[in-house]
């Protein structure tokens, strides 16, 4: 019946003269620069604002469907008028790929797909594609004492996050968000609907988990959940601003040495930021131990022994949800239906499969010490992904297109226009961040550095991005793309198949 409706609609799509008219005829709520359907919410100019204000793309129309049939109709209309399609969930793409990464795409905003349920028997969570991480965490914990591994910012949308990885402070213990996907409901490029899992359309399931934005428009997820920890020991160790570049490199090296055998219930994050602007401490290590205080003390002891004696520390036992709030600097987890936060930034990532050697660390900390006149405020976050006990590293390397399983550390290099993030981002900022990145990678030419597709860097050509995000998995992704989306309907400048 659904297929029949789709075919009837497809035949009638030709009767309209513009894409927005086609959407309106199919009863898809839509906002355009000139008109809004009665069923749509809000105003076009406000609705298309990206999280990253640096990249204000203007879509041809913004569909805001409420049903799977409307999603399907939107994709069919786009096909009829030759428009590229991008899905938007939380809109937090660093490159505004949720707006298509260009002007003129059809954006399908999934914000009205708000299902949030957990099955009392199986503890499997069903989550609509428009939900944000903070709402999901709160609901799972409060209704069932359950949790998912996911990122630290509660405003991030589940879809982009889960389809391209999804790392947070429980990931070494439970895996990435992507690892917990049991099945996905998805609308394909020809408008058909599929439920995909390891046993249904397994090739698509493989491709969607790592490169989802290129393969379909996910409407709903089913996730395996975990019993939430009762408490976390949240810690923060700060090194004095007088710490020399050599001593900083030694601290980083000691942390890497410790990380190889760190238990899976320990999250470790090194944080280094611009010395030029007063944003708080410049160099510190933070994270959480999901266990008792006594367990934390004995686990962390070898690391403390390797660090300078004048390290300042803060250690606090917090209930699970309070720990999540503390990772967000006190910001609350539940999110408003109409999200209004924005930043103005450029970021990129370096995924290293092995420890950074002395040359790389000396170069990096030396570069930072010399960067007193950086054109933008910046920070680098180095998250421990791997080590012998990590669930990320020990997952099935070939089981999904996500290629980040080999990561030992993932470094995120983040810069903002100005402290308030209200001014324009200067072009020299990108050059500076590229140089900062090269200060890490160039001294270690033999290492196969990669990048994280959730920290998408739009300055890469498609070819470079494909290699950095997917490595050897790219060829299989390309063959699936050619089969399920030969006309490249789902598109952004770095989508699978873009040359
Ligand atoms: C402030 C901030 C904090 C962050 N913290 C973390 C963190 O702690 N850990 C981490 O791993 N990452 C983190 N990220 C990165 C984040 O995971 C990615 O930016 C993620 O892709 C955002 O997903 P979204 O749905 O909000 O974004 P969107 O811009 O809506 O989408 C991102 C991409 O996914 C596609 N997409 C969206 N919805 C769908 C759908 N339904 N079907 C198919 N494709 C879809 C879009 O087309 C786009 O290509 C953070 C980002 C920001 C801005």
């Amino acid at each position: 019946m659904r297929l029949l409706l789709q075919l009837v609609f497809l035949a009638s799509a030709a009767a309209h003269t513009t894409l927005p008219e086609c959407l309106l005829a199919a009863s898809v709520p839509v906002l355009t620069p000139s008109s809004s359907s009665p069923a749509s919410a809000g105003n076009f100019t406000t609705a298309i604002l990206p999280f990253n204000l640096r990249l204000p793309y203007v879509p041809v129309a913004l569909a805001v469907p409420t049903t799977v049939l409307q999603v399907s109709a939107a994709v069919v209309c786009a096909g009829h008028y030759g428009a590229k399609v991008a899905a938007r969930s939380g809109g937090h793409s660093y490159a505004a790929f949720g707006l298509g990464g260009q002007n003129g795409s059809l954006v399908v905003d999934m914000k009205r797909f708000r299902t949030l349920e957990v099955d009392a028997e199986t503890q499997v969570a069903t989550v609509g594609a428009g939900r944000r991480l903070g709402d999901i965490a709160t609901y799972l914990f409060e209704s069932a004492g359950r949790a998912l591994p996911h990122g630290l910012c509660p405003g991030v949308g589940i879809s982009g996050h889960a389809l391209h990885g999804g790392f947070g402070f429980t990931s070494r213990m439970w895996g990435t968000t992507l690892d917990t996907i049991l099945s996905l409901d998805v609308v394909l490029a020809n408008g058909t609907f599929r439920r995909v899992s390891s046993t249904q359309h397994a090739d698509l399931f493989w491709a969607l988990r790592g490169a989802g934005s290129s393969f379909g428009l996910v409407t709903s997820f089913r996730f395996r959940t975990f019993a939430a920890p009762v408490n976390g020991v949240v810690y923060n160790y700060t090194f004095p601003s007088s710490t020399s570049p050599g001593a900083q490199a030694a601290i980083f090296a000691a942390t890497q040495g410790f990380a190889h055998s760190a238990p899976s219930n320990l999250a470790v994050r090194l944080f280094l930021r611009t010395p030029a602007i007063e944003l708080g401490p410049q160099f510190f290590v933070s994270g959480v131990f999901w266990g008792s205080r006594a367990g934390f003390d004995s686990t962390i002891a070898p690391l403390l022994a390797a660090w300078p004696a004048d390290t300042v520390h803060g250690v606090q036992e917090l209930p699970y949800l309070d720990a999540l709030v503390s990772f967000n600097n006190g910001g609350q987890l539940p999110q408003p239906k109409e999200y209004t936060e924005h930043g103005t930034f450029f970021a990129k990532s370096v995924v290293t499969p092995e420890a950074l050697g002395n040359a790389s660390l000396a170069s990096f900390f030396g570069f930072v010490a010399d960067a007193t006149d950086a054109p933008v405020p910046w920070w680098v976050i180095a998250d421990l992904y791997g080590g012998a006990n990590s669930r990320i590293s020990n997952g099935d390397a070939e089981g999904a297109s996500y290629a980040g399983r080999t990561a030992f550390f993932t470094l995120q290099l983040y810069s903002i226009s100005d402290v308030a993030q209200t001014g324009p981002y200067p072009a020299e900022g990108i050059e500076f961040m590229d140089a900062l990145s090269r200060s890490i990678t160039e001294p270690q030419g033999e290492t196969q550095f990669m990048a994280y597709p959730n920290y998408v860097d739009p300055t890469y050509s498609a070819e470079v991005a494909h290699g950095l995000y997917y490595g050897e998995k790219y060829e299989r992704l390309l063959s699936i793309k050619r089969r399920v989306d030969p006309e490249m309907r789902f598109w952004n400048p770095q989508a699978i198949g873009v040359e």
Side-chain angles (χ1 to χ4, degrees), residues 51-52 85-101 107-110 128-133 150-169 171 176-177 185-187 208 211-221 269 328 339 341 345 383 385 412 414 452-456 490-492:
F51 179 77
N52 186 359
V85 176
R88 182 166 72 171
S89 168
H92 273 59
S93 166
Y94 287 5
F97 282 178
L99 287 177
V107 173
V108 182
D109 191 322
M110 300 305 292
R131 282 290 185 173
R132 296 181 194 269
L133 303 183
H150 55 68
L152 281 63
C153 172
V156 165
I158 188 64
S159 295
H161 191 66
L163 293 174
H164 305 101
F167 171 85
F169 280 175
S171 289
T176 62
T177 317
D185 290 351
V186 58
V187 171
L208 280 158
S213 49
S214 293
F215 288 91
L217 219 154
V218 173
T219 58
S220 173
F221 296 80
R269 161 173 284 192
N328 187 39
Y339 189 83
E341 281 185 34
F345 63 98
D383 276 314
Y385 272 48
Q412 178 177 192
Y414 203 103
Y452 176 27
N454 258 336
Y455 299 155
V456 59
F490 296 113
W491 191 95
N492 62 53

Side-chain angles (χ1 to χ4, degrees), residues 104-136:
S105 292
L106 171 65
V107 173
V108 182
D109 191 322
M110 300 305 292
K111 69 180 180 185
R112 290 174 169 179
F113 283 70
R114 293 180 60 81
T115 304
L116 201 43
E117 292 164 6
V118 60
D119 184 290
E121 240 166 72
T122 62
Q123 310 289 2
V124 168
T126 304
V127 179
R131 282 290 185 173
R132 296 181 194 269
L133 303 183
D135 290 333
I136 299 168

